[in-house]
Amino acid sequence: MKKNVSMAATALEDFWEADKSLVALGEWCKISTTKTFTDTIPYVWDCALMKAEAIGYTHSIYEYLMDELVVILNNYHKVNETKLYWELIVGNWLIVFIQGLYSRYLTLKKFISLYPNFSTLILDSDSYITPMEASDFTLKLVESDIYNLQLFSQILKFMNYNFPVKKYDNKQNLIFENKKSNIKKDILYKLLNFFSFNPNITISNPYFDNTVGSCLKLFFESKGKIVYDDFNDNFSFKFNISKRDRGTIFKSIKSSDEFVSLVCSLLEVNFPILFLEGYESFNRFVINLKKNNSKLFATANSLYSNYIYKFYIAKDQKNIKTVAIQHGGNYGIDKVVSIEYYEKNISSYFFAFGWGNNENEKNCSHEKINIKVKPRKDGDILMISTCCPIYDFRIEVICSGEYIKTDYIPKIKAFLSNIVNLDLFLYRPYPKDYGFDIVGKIKNKFPSLKVEKDRLKLKDRLKKSRLLVSDHFGTSVLETLAQNYPTVIFIEKKHYMFRRPEMIALLEDAKILFYDEVAAARHVNKICSNIDSWWLSNKVQLARKEFCFVYARTSNNWAKDWIREFNYILEDNAGINT
């Protein structure tokens, strides 16, 4: 049996027992400290298979709890809404809550199995806070040490541990507000909407790279039959928390599964204010908004944190059709993707980049993968990076601060160590570093490496480059492959589990994709002086075209394709005129 230790649950040193041997619950504890730990608990998700199994398990819990919450919320608010209604409003929060909690639960279980005789300090329940809505919750979950300490403390109390408590000055937010921020886009939308003629389609946050040009193109293809509305109206509310109601309404949910029981017990404090105390007044506000009486609503980005949009389409979901538009690189590629699962659940139709395989999944191209960019023969080799929050939120590919520190940064260093002409490289950091200081760590080892300081749009940076090198499989890779832009990818194989491995194998055989960073570096060394001899070869081009037909399908006129599919949807549904 291992010796007695004290657990450091987060990076908050005020909650560390400094006079004892400290064991870090995860790499997040070590981001900004110089203190030494006896041990650090390994990451619970060792490989993609474990993640896929966990996603399946958490999805089953999601379905069970969603059914239970429909009854609870209808009774509490004295309404009779459908499961789809409530799923539109609370579903994305519930998935992240379950998955984020599951990662933390398993991490604590792993700690306890290794160090059964341990001590720690936990957060006093008087210092607990309740998130306002899903985006507020997610931000706290991925960045806030004190909110994570709250969750770990609640889990330990659920497990019947009785540790010393300590208060923390943790401010509860009761204000929910929105202030318009994109005045230029508002003006564009108003101008176009003025010329709309009997519109029956509303487009919201379509994920365009060229907002003005693409909005105009789609508008003219529709012959004025669409309106643009990002549902970005101003509002400000102040809500009060009802601890008495929260203490009783979730008691009806029962389960013999320990983890499900844990989730239910934590709803009392962590169920967002907007869905309970804030629901009635905010819902009334949305109902009274004057919006276009469209029959179809399509969006790429409004289904998560835009609550005007979510409440608005939820209230009329029996009379309208909704389209979710793909807006990321993992859809259809990874074995299981929670955001894809959620968007399909709540939408009538889904626009995929080419991998759709049923009548509700429409294969449509997108503006972002139809932008034409040509490489510059004497340009830089552009290396684009990624990053993840310190704490887990969804269970998905590489979405882990642990991975960044233990696997990702060493992999980048190994790649760059084997590059012959490092002076040709321009390193493009991820916009947010989350405290890992990735650039600093890389520059310490490679001081001559150029780092992008003035961040351009990717298409503008590509115009100045000869080759894209990516250390992850993301949206940027789909864009460059679709554009026929020379691309090399290297990734950690154990963290990926692909839905159609045969499609990924095409890229591997063509030396576009590598699982070995050293082999990737040697390939770049070999081709960098004459990239076309490799990239334009029949083998590479055939692999690229076959892959892109499924995952990044281009079109001669993506806007025309969208309008055609919108009209098909409207025509296929009785009582809707086009």
Side-chain angles (χ1 to χ4, degrees):
M1 184 176 290
K2 295 189 177 182
K3 64 181 180 179
N4 294 351
V5 299
S6 179
M7 179 180 72
T10 70
L12 288 174
E13 296 190 28
D14 287 348
F15 288 81
W16 295 357
E17 297 177 298
D19 58 333
K20 299 180 181 180
S21 296
L22 282 173
V23 173
L25 193 56
E27 290 291 336
W28 54 81
C29 299
K30 300 155 65 175
I31 288 292
S32 58
T33 187
T34 57
K35 292 191 177 181
T36 303
F37 293 89
T38 303
D39 193 9
T40 302
I41 302 304
Y43 188 43
V44 292
W45 310 120
D46 185 57
C47 64
L49 178 60
M50 290 179 65
K51 288 185 176 183
E53 290 172 349
I55 292 171
Y57 172 63
T58 55
H59 284 182
S60 67
I61 296 171
Y62 168 83
E63 293 295 343
Y64 168 69
L65 291 180
M66 198 66 241
D67 287 337
E68 294 292 317
L69 285 173
V70 170
V71 177
I72 289 170
L73 293 171
N74 276 337
N75 289 338
Y76 183 80
H77 295 301
K78 296 180 175 58
V79 296
N80 185 29
E81 301 294 357
T82 63
K83 180 179 179 180
L84 176 57
Y85 175 93
W86 289 114
E87 197 166 9
L88 277 160
I89 292 173
V90 309
N92 60 307
W93 167 80
L94 185 60
I95 286 180
V96 177
F97 182 63
I98 293 168
Q99 293 189 346
L101 206 56
Y102 192 47
S103 293
R104 287 153 182 77
Y105 167 75
L106 291 184
T107 302
L108 279 173
K109 296 276 279 189
K110 193 168 195 174
F111 182 100
I112 293 166
S113 71
L114 294 171
Y115 297 97
N117 299 309
F118 72 101
S119 63
T120 192
L121 296 175
I122 63 174
L123 185 65
D124 191 302
S125 60
D126 288 342
S127 300
Y128 291 172
I129 60 169
T130 300
M132 179 58 65
E133 34 73 40
S135 57
D136 179 43
F137 166 76
T138 301
L139 184 64
K140 288 177 168 59
L141 191 70
V142 301
E143 293 188 7
S144 170
D145 290 314
I146 189 60
Y147 188 68
N148 276 278
L149 181 62
Q150 172 179 317
L151 294 178
F152 286 128
S153 299
Q154 288 181 286
I155 297 169
L156 288 169
K157 289 178 75 173
F158 174 83
M159 293 176 171
N160 294 317
Y161 283 96
N162 187 23
F163 293 117
V165 301
K166 189 173 182 178
K167 292 184 184 294
Y168 189 89
D169 186 17
N170 202 11
K171 301 296 185 184
Q172 173 66 60
N173 174 44
L174 297 172
I175 304 297
F176 182 46
E177 61 183 1
N178 181 64
K179 294 180 180 179
K180 290 186 178 181
S181 57
N182 196 330
I183 305 301
K184 289 182 180 179
K185 187 192 282 190
D186 284 344
I187 294 171
L188 172 66
Y189 282 5
K190 287 179 180 178
L191 182 63
L192 291 176
N193 293 345
F194 180 79
F195 291 102
S196 293
F197 178 73
N198 194 24
N200 54 12
I201 301 167
T202 295
I203 307 293
S204 306
N205 289 302
Y207 192 51
F208 290 154
D209 191 76
N210 177 5
T211 301
V212 176
S214 295
C215 283
L216 285 169
K217 183 178 179 67
L218 189 63
F219 183 82
F220 290 127
E221 283 292 344
S222 77
K223 299 178 181 177
K225 296 294 186 181
I226 65 173
V227 293
Y228 290 101
D229 188 347
D230 281 351
F231 290 76
N232 192 31
D233 304 74
N234 291 328
F235 63 80
S236 181
F237 291 89
K238 184 175 182 180
F239 305 127
N240 293 312
I241 296 175
S242 174
K243 292 186 177 180
R244 183 185 64 181
D245 290 347
R246 286 176 171 269
T248 59
I249 65 170
F250 301 111
K251 298 291 187 185
S252 61
I253 310 177
K254 307 293 182 184
S255 176
S256 58
D257 182 303
E258 182 185 58
F259 174 67
V260 177
S261 297
L262 167 66
V263 175
C264 296
S265 72
L266 267 61
L267 289 174
E268 177 182 340
V269 173
N270 298 285
F271 195 73
I273 298 168
L274 180 63
F275 310 152
L276 210 61
E277 295 89 351
Y279 170 83
E280 184 177 354
S281 54
F282 187 75
N283 186 51
R284 190 184 313 116
F285 160 73
V286 173
I287 288 173
N288 289 327
L289 288 173
K290 293 182 179 180
K291 299 291 182 181
N292 187 67
N293 189 28
S294 294
K295 296 295 184 181
L296 187 150
F297 289 78
T299 185
N301 294 104
S302 294
L303 291 169
Y304 289 90
S305 58
N306 187 328
Y307 278 93
I308 297 179
Y309 187 84
K310 287 161 74 70
F311 272 67
Y312 189 86
I313 63 172
K315 76 179 177 66
D316 206 26
Q317 34 90 19
K318 296 175 183 177
N319 302 312
I320 62 172
K321 295 300 172 184
T322 56
V323 176
I325 301 166
Q326 180 175 343
H327 60 278
N330 293 346
Y331 294 80
I333 295 179
D334 295 343
K335 185 74 173 178
V336 203
V337 183
S338 289
I339 56 174
E340 176 190 327
Y341 167 81
Y342 172 68
E343 289 173 31
K344 287 181 182 177
N345 262 14
I346 63 171
S347 302
S348 311
Y349 298 90
F350 187 90
F351 277 12
F353 287 177
W355 49 266
N357 61 6
N358 65 57
E359 62 182 15
N360 292 332
E361 295 172 0
K362 306 289 186 180
N363 288 320
C364 280
S365 193
H366 192 283
E367 174 251 29
K368 289 182 77 70
I369 54 177
N370 283 281
I371 297 170
K372 306 297 182 186
V373 179
K374 291 184 178 181
R376 178 174 165 177
K377 301 295 184 184
D378 61 346
D380 297 312
I381 296 174
L382 179 64
M383 182 173 178
I384 59 173
S385 67
T386 189
C387 196
C388 301
I390 297 170
Y391 294 98
D392 279 2
F393 63 121
R394 288 191 301 262
I395 303 171
E396 57 185 18
V397 172
I398 75 167
C399 195
S400 149
E402 185 96 10
Y403 166 79
I404 295 296
K405 193 165 184 181
T406 59
D407 291 352
Y408 178 75
I409 296 175
K411 200 171 182 73
I412 295 175
K413 288 180 178 179
F415 173 82
L416 292 173
S417 293
N418 284 275
I419 291 296
V420 174
N421 297 312
L422 198 61
D423 58 309
L424 296 178
F425 272 71
L426 176 66
Y427 181 75
R428 179 181 170 96
Y430 193 71
K432 194 163 188 176
D433 183 74
Y434 293 105
F436 289 104
D437 189 26
I438 295 175
V439 172
K441 289 179 173 65
I442 292 173
K443 285 288 285 182
N444 282 341
K445 187 169 179 63
F446 308 101
S448 65
L449 178 67
K450 294 177 293 184
V451 177
E452 183 185 45
K453 294 181 180 178
D454 299 321
R455 190 175 182 87
L456 301 178
K457 283 188 173 184
L458 180 61
K459 66 176 182 179
D460 295 325
R461 183 56 71 189
L462 288 172
K463 291 175 184 176
K464 300 174 182 289
S465 308
R466 68 176 78 180
L467 172 72
L468 177 89
V469 174
S470 178
D471 55 27
H472 61 289
F473 214 123
T475 312
S476 301
V477 165
L478 297 187
E479 293 176 25
T480 54
L481 290 176
Q483 295 163 16
N484 200 14
Y485 193 99
T487 303
V488 172
I489 314 154
F490 65 93
I491 58 176
E492 182 64 50
K493 187 172 186 177
K494 70 178 183 178
H495 289 297
Y496 287 82
M497 191 172 184
F498 297 110
R499 200 171 302 182
R500 294 184 60 181
E502 74 279 7
M503 301 305 301
I504 308 303
L506 292 171
L507 301 185
E508 190 179 1
D509 291 343
K511 296 189 183 300
I512 295 172
L513 173 67
F514 293 83
Y515 297 115
D516 182 336
E517 61 274 16
V518 175
R522 289 172 179 165
H523 176 62
V524 171
N525 291 336
K526 181 180 178 180
I527 66 169
C528 69
S529 61
N530 188 5
I531 294 171
D532 284 353
S533 64
W534 159 70
W535 185 252
L536 297 180
S537 66
N538 286 336
K539 183 176 183 179
V540 172
Q541 285 298 304
L542 285 172
R544 182 195 68 81
K545 289 175 182 177
E546 192 170 345
F547 176 87
C548 287
F549 185 77
V550 176
Y551 290 122
R553 192 175 299 181
T554 55
S555 170
N556 292 328
N557 191 335
W558 64 267
K560 186 176 182 178
D561 296 343
W562 277 28
I563 298 302
R564 184 188 65 244
E565 291 298 338
F566 289 153
N567 286 332
Y568 285 161
I569 291 169
L570 292 172
E571 290 167 2
D572 286 345
N573 292 276
I576 300 178
N577 298 316
T578 61

mmCIF file of all heavy atoms in Angstrom, residues 271-297:
data_model
loop_
_atom_site.group_PDB
_atom_site.id
_atom_site.type_symbol
_atom_site.label_atom_id
_atom_site.label_comp_id
_atom_site.label_asym_id
_atom_site.label_seq_id
_atom_site.Cartn_x
_atom_site.Cartn_y
_atom_site.Cartn_z
ATOM 1 N N PHE A 271 -27.111 23.056 -12.207
ATOM 2 C CA PHE A 271 -28.067 23.247 -13.294
ATOM 3 C C PHE A 271 -28.190 24.741 -13.586
ATOM 4 O O PHE A 271 -28.490 25.533 -12.694
ATOM 5 C CB PHE A 271 -29.433 22.669 -12.901
ATOM 6 C CG PHE A 271 -30.374 22.502 -14.052
ATOM 7 C CD1 PHE A 271 -30.181 21.499 -14.992
ATOM 8 C CD2 PHE A 271 -31.457 23.349 -14.220
ATOM 9 C CE1 PHE A 271 -31.044 21.329 -16.065
ATOM 10 C CE2 PHE A 271 -32.343 23.187 -15.280
ATOM 11 C CZ PHE A 271 -32.130 22.173 -16.205
ATOM 12 N N PRO A 272 -27.943 25.166 -14.828
ATOM 13 C CA PRO A 272 -27.848 26.600 -15.131
ATOM 14 C C PRO A 272 -29.098 27.405 -14.767
ATOM 15 O O PRO A 272 -30.230 26.942 -14.904
ATOM 16 C CB PRO A 272 -27.600 26.620 -16.643
ATOM 17 C CG PRO A 272 -26.879 25.342 -16.906
ATOM 18 C CD PRO A 272 -27.525 24.352 -15.993
ATOM 19 N N ILE A 273 -28.852 28.622 -14.329
ATOM 20 C CA ILE A 273 -29.911 29.528 -13.863
ATOM 21 C C ILE A 273 -30.933 29.807 -14.960
ATOM 22 O O ILE A 273 -32.131 29.854 -14.712
ATOM 23 C CB ILE A 273 -29.285 30.847 -13.364
ATOM 24 C CG1 ILE A 273 -28.363 30.588 -12.171
ATOM 25 C CG2 ILE A 273 -30.360 31.864 -13.010
ATOM 26 C CD1 ILE A 273 -27.486 31.779 -11.793
ATOM 27 N N LEU A 274 -30.457 30.006 -16.194
ATOM 28 C CA LEU A 274 -31.350 30.371 -17.288
ATOM 29 C C LEU A 274 -32.450 29.340 -17.508
ATOM 30 O O LEU A 274 -33.561 29.685 -17.882
ATOM 31 C CB LEU A 274 -30.546 30.561 -18.585
ATOM 32 C CG LEU A 274 -31.356 30.943 -19.832
ATOM 33 C CD1 LEU A 274 -32.039 32.298 -19.645
ATOM 34 C CD2 LEU A 274 -30.469 30.953 -21.073
ATOM 35 N N PHE A 275 -32.130 28.073 -17.278
ATOM 36 C CA PHE A 275 -33.099 27.008 -17.550
ATOM 37 C C PHE A 275 -34.126 26.846 -16.432
ATOM 38 O O PHE A 275 -35.120 26.151 -16.617
ATOM 39 C CB PHE A 275 -32.378 25.676 -17.761
ATOM 40 C CG PHE A 275 -31.251 25.722 -18.748
ATOM 41 C CD1 PHE A 275 -30.181 24.842 -18.639
ATOM 42 C CD2 PHE A 275 -31.241 26.646 -19.788
ATOM 43 C CE1 PHE A 275 -29.130 24.875 -19.549
ATOM 44 C CE2 PHE A 275 -30.200 26.691 -20.697
ATOM 45 C CZ PHE A 275 -29.137 25.799 -20.569
ATOM 46 N N LEU A 276 -33.863 27.465 -15.307
ATOM 47 C CA LEU A 276 -34.761 27.291 -14.158
ATOM 48 C C LEU A 276 -35.330 28.645 -13.745
ATOM 49 O O LEU A 276 -36.411 29.039 -14.165
ATOM 50 C CB LEU A 276 -33.994 26.629 -13.014
ATOM 51 C CG LEU A 276 -34.806 25.745 -12.067
ATOM 52 C CD1 LEU A 276 -35.437 24.596 -12.822
ATOM 53 C CD2 LEU A 276 -33.919 25.221 -10.932
ATOM 54 N N GLU A 277 -34.585 29.408 -12.961
ATOM 55 C CA GLU A 277 -35.094 30.682 -12.462
ATOM 56 C C GLU A 277 -35.250 31.730 -13.561
ATOM 57 O O GLU A 277 -36.095 32.618 -13.475
ATOM 58 C CB GLU A 277 -34.168 31.233 -11.365
ATOM 59 C CG GLU A 277 -34.111 30.390 -10.103
ATOM 60 C CD GLU A 277 -33.051 29.305 -10.144
ATOM 61 O OE1 GLU A 277 -32.449 29.079 -11.223
ATOM 62 O OE2 GLU A 277 -32.806 28.679 -9.088
ATOM 63 N N GLY A 278 -34.419 31.639 -14.610
ATOM 64 C CA GLY A 278 -34.455 32.651 -15.660
ATOM 65 C C GLY A 278 -35.361 32.324 -16.827
ATOM 66 O O GLY A 278 -35.583 33.170 -17.701
ATOM 67 N N TYR A 279 -35.888 31.117 -16.835
ATOM 68 C CA TYR A 279 -36.622 30.647 -18.011
ATOM 69 C C TYR A 279 -37.844 31.505 -18.354
ATOM 70 O O TYR A 279 -38.016 31.933 -19.499
ATOM 71 C CB TYR A 279 -37.062 29.192 -17.809
ATOM 72 C CG TYR A 279 -38.024 28.697 -18.856
ATOM 73 C CD1 TYR A 279 -37.569 28.222 -20.079
ATOM 74 C CD2 TYR A 279 -39.398 28.731 -18.637
ATOM 75 C CE1 TYR A 279 -38.453 27.768 -21.055
ATOM 76 C CE2 TYR A 279 -40.296 28.283 -19.606
ATOM 77 C CZ TYR A 279 -39.813 27.817 -20.807
ATOM 78 O OH TYR A 279 -40.689 27.388 -21.770
ATOM 79 N N GLU A 280 -38.708 31.757 -17.396
ATOM 80 C CA GLU A 280 -39.989 32.400 -17.686
ATOM 81 C C GLU A 280 -39.817 33.788 -18.291
ATOM 82 O O GLU A 280 -40.408 34.108 -19.334
ATOM 83 C CB GLU A 280 -40.843 32.490 -16.419
ATOM 84 C CG GLU A 280 -42.230 33.054 -16.669
ATOM 85 C CD GLU A 280 -43.103 33.077 -15.421
ATOM 86 O OE1 GLU A 280 -42.662 32.547 -14.382
ATOM 87 O OE2 GLU A 280 -44.216 33.624 -15.494
ATOM 88 N N SER A 281 -38.989 34.621 -17.676
ATOM 89 C CA SER A 281 -38.846 35.995 -18.171
ATOM 90 C C SER A 281 -38.083 36.036 -19.487
ATOM 91 O O SER A 281 -38.419 36.820 -20.386
ATOM 92 C CB SER A 281 -38.163 36.874 -17.123
ATOM 93 O OG SER A 281 -36.937 36.322 -16.712
ATOM 94 N N PHE A 282 -37.062 35.180 -19.640
ATOM 95 C CA PHE A 282 -36.315 35.191 -20.901
ATOM 96 C C PHE A 282 -37.168 34.630 -22.028
ATOM 97 O O PHE A 282 -37.149 35.145 -23.158
ATOM 98 C CB PHE A 282 -35.019 34.395 -20.768
ATOM 99 C CG PHE A 282 -34.132 34.522 -21.978
ATOM 100 C CD1 PHE A 282 -33.414 35.685 -22.213
ATOM 101 C CD2 PHE A 282 -34.030 33.487 -22.907
ATOM 102 C CE1 PHE A 282 -32.610 35.820 -23.344
ATOM 103 C CE2 PHE A 282 -33.236 33.612 -24.035
ATOM 104 C CZ PHE A 282 -32.519 34.782 -24.243
ATOM 105 N N ASN A 283 -37.917 33.590 -21.763
ATOM 106 C CA ASN A 283 -38.789 33.008 -22.782
ATOM 107 C C ASN A 283 -39.840 34.025 -23.235
ATOM 108 O O ASN A 283 -40.133 34.126 -24.437
ATOM 109 C CB ASN A 283 -39.472 31.757 -22.221
ATOM 110 C CG ASN A 283 -40.269 31.026 -23.273
ATOM 111 O OD1 ASN A 283 -39.769 30.727 -24.358
ATOM 112 N ND2 ASN A 283 -41.525 30.737 -22.970
ATOM 113 N N ARG A 284 -40.386 34.793 -22.314
ATOM 114 C CA ARG A 284 -41.372 35.816 -22.651
ATOM 115 C C ARG A 284 -40.751 36.873 -23.551
ATOM 116 O O ARG A 284 -41.352 37.326 -24.527
ATOM 117 C CB ARG A 284 -41.915 36.460 -21.375
ATOM 118 C CG ARG A 284 -43.130 37.363 -21.612
ATOM 119 C CD ARG A 284 -43.574 38.069 -20.342
ATOM 120 N NE ARG A 284 -43.665 37.154 -19.217
ATOM 121 C CZ ARG A 284 -42.912 37.227 -18.126
ATOM 122 N NH1 ARG A 284 -42.003 38.190 -18.008
ATOM 123 N NH2 ARG A 284 -43.041 36.361 -17.155
ATOM 124 N N PHE A 285 -39.500 37.260 -23.229
ATOM 125 C CA PHE A 285 -38.768 38.230 -24.039
ATOM 126 C C PHE A 285 -38.602 37.726 -25.475
ATOM 127 O O PHE A 285 -38.856 38.447 -26.443
ATOM 128 C CB PHE A 285 -37.409 38.503 -23.405
ATOM 129 C CG PHE A 285 -36.385 39.095 -24.335
ATOM 130 C CD1 PHE A 285 -36.478 40.414 -24.745
ATOM 131 C CD2 PHE A 285 -35.325 38.317 -24.798
ATOM 132 C CE1 PHE A 285 -35.521 40.960 -25.616
ATOM 133 C CE2 PHE A 285 -34.373 38.853 -25.659
ATOM 134 C CZ PHE A 285 -34.477 40.176 -26.064
ATOM 135 N N VAL A 286 -38.205 36.459 -25.636
ATOM 136 C CA VAL A 286 -37.976 35.899 -26.970
ATOM 137 C C VAL A 286 -39.282 35.796 -27.748
ATOM 138 O O VAL A 286 -39.340 36.126 -28.941
ATOM 139 C CB VAL A 286 -37.290 34.518 -26.867
ATOM 140 C CG1 VAL A 286 -37.213 33.853 -28.243
ATOM 141 C CG2 VAL A 286 -35.894 34.660 -26.273
ATOM 142 N N ILE A 287 -40.348 35.356 -27.091
ATOM 143 C CA ILE A 287 -41.646 35.221 -27.754
ATOM 144 C C ILE A 287 -42.130 36.556 -28.315
ATOM 145 O O ILE A 287 -42.751 36.612 -29.386
ATOM 146 C CB ILE A 287 -42.692 34.643 -26.766
ATOM 147 C CG1 ILE A 287 -42.394 33.164 -26.501
ATOM 148 C CG2 ILE A 287 -44.114 34.811 -27.297
ATOM 149 C CD1 ILE A 287 -43.253 32.550 -25.424
ATOM 150 N N ASN A 288 -41.809 37.641 -27.641
ATOM 151 C CA ASN A 288 -42.276 38.965 -28.059
ATOM 152 C C ASN A 288 -41.390 39.620 -29.116
ATOM 153 O O ASN A 288 -41.712 40.705 -29.607
ATOM 154 C CB ASN A 288 -42.391 39.894 -26.847
ATOM 155 C CG ASN A 288 -43.552 39.499 -25.948
ATOM 156 O OD1 ASN A 288 -44.577 39.023 -26.416
ATOM 157 N ND2 ASN A 288 -43.390 39.690 -24.638
ATOM 158 N N LEU A 289 -40.273 38.985 -29.460
ATOM 159 C CA LEU A 289 -39.410 39.541 -30.507
ATOM 160 C C LEU A 289 -40.089 39.420 -31.873
ATOM 161 O O LEU A 289 -40.756 38.424 -32.160
ATOM 162 C CB LEU A 289 -38.075 38.808 -30.542
ATOM 163 C CG LEU A 289 -37.106 39.067 -29.385
ATOM 164 C CD1 LEU A 289 -35.901 38.131 -29.503
ATOM 165 C CD2 LEU A 289 -36.638 40.517 -29.373
ATOM 166 N N LYS A 290 -39.906 40.420 -32.700
ATOM 167 C CA LYS A 290 -40.455 40.385 -34.049
ATOM 168 C C LYS A 290 -39.397 39.857 -35.012
ATOM 169 O O LYS A 290 -38.390 40.511 -35.266
ATOM 170 C CB LYS A 290 -40.913 41.778 -34.469
ATOM 171 C CG LYS A 290 -42.115 42.283 -33.675
ATOM 172 C CD LYS A 290 -42.568 43.658 -34.154
ATOM 173 C CE LYS A 290 -43.783 44.131 -33.366
ATOM 174 N NZ LYS A 290 -44.244 45.474 -33.805
ATOM 175 N N LYS A 291 -39.642 38.652 -35.507
ATOM 176 C CA LYS A 291 -38.726 38.013 -36.436
ATOM 177 C C LYS A 291 -39.483 37.606 -37.695
ATOM 178 O O LYS A 291 -40.718 37.540 -37.703
ATOM 179 C CB LYS A 291 -38.093 36.769 -35.787
ATOM 180 C CG LYS A 291 -37.278 37.058 -34.522
ATOM 181 C CD LYS A 291 -36.015 37.828 -34.846
ATOM 182 C CE LYS A 291 -35.184 38.076 -33.599
ATOM 183 N NZ LYS A 291 -33.948 38.855 -33.904
ATOM 184 N N ASN A 292 -38.743 37.307 -38.751
ATOM 185 C CA ASN A 292 -39.395 36.876 -39.981
ATOM 186 C C ASN A 292 -40.064 35.512 -39.788
ATOM 187 O O ASN A 292 -39.501 34.609 -39.164
ATOM 188 C CB ASN A 292 -38.370 36.777 -41.119
ATOM 189 C CG ASN A 292 -39.038 36.493 -42.450
ATOM 190 O OD1 ASN A 292 -39.765 37.335 -42.957
ATOM 191 N ND2 ASN A 292 -38.800 35.311 -43.003
ATOM 192 N N ASN A 293 -41.239 35.378 -40.323
ATOM 193 C CA ASN A 293 -42.025 34.147 -40.177
ATOM 194 C C ASN A 293 -41.564 33.095 -41.193
ATOM 195 O O ASN A 293 -42.318 32.683 -42.073
ATOM 196 C CB ASN A 293 -43.508 34.464 -40.354
ATOM 197 C CG ASN A 293 -44.384 33.285 -39.998
ATOM 198 O OD1 ASN A 293 -44.013 32.450 -39.178
ATOM 199 N ND2 ASN A 293 -45.539 33.207 -40.631
ATOM 200 N N SER A 294 -40.317 32.667 -41.056
ATOM 201 C CA SER A 294 -39.740 31.710 -42.013
ATOM 202 C C SER A 294 -40.237 30.296 -41.739
ATOM 203 O O SER A 294 -40.647 29.963 -40.631
ATOM 204 C CB SER A 294 -38.214 31.744 -41.941
ATOM 205 O OG SER A 294 -37.714 32.981 -42.385
ATOM 206 N N LYS A 295 -40.127 29.468 -42.764
ATOM 207 C CA LYS A 295 -40.472 28.055 -42.637
ATOM 208 C C LYS A 295 -39.236 27.188 -42.437
ATOM 209 O O LYS A 295 -39.343 26.020 -42.049
ATOM 210 C CB LYS A 295 -41.233 27.576 -43.885
ATOM 211 C CG LYS A 295 -42.586 28.260 -44.101
ATOM 212 C CD LYS A 295 -43.549 27.924 -42.981
ATOM 213 C CE LYS A 295 -44.914 28.520 -43.240
ATOM 214 N NZ LYS A 295 -45.859 28.223 -42.131
ATOM 215 N N LEU A 296 -38.073 27.765 -42.719
ATOM 216 C CA LEU A 296 -36.825 27.011 -42.571
ATOM 217 C C LEU A 296 -35.773 27.908 -41.930
ATOM 218 O O LEU A 296 -35.597 29.057 -42.338
ATOM 219 C CB LEU A 296 -36.353 26.511 -43.938
ATOM 220 C CG LEU A 296 -35.151 25.567 -43.964
ATOM 221 C CD1 LEU A 296 -35.249 24.620 -45.152
ATOM 222 C CD2 LEU A 296 -33.824 26.321 -44.040
ATOM 223 N N PHE A 297 -35.058 27.362 -40.954
ATOM 224 C CA PHE A 297 -33.999 28.084 -40.264
ATOM 225 C C PHE A 297 -32.708 27.275 -40.377
ATOM 226 O O PHE A 297 -32.680 26.091 -40.034
ATOM 227 C CB PHE A 297 -34.347 28.287 -38.788
ATOM 228 C CG PHE A 297 -35.462 29.272 -38.557
ATOM 229 C CD1 PHE A 297 -36.780 28.919 -38.764
ATOM 230 C CD2 PHE A 297 -35.175 30.567 -38.146
ATOM 231 C CE1 PHE A 297 -37.813 29.825 -38.572
ATOM 232 C CE2 PHE A 297 -36.199 31.483 -37.935
ATOM 233 C CZ PHE A 297 -37.513 31.111 -38.157
#
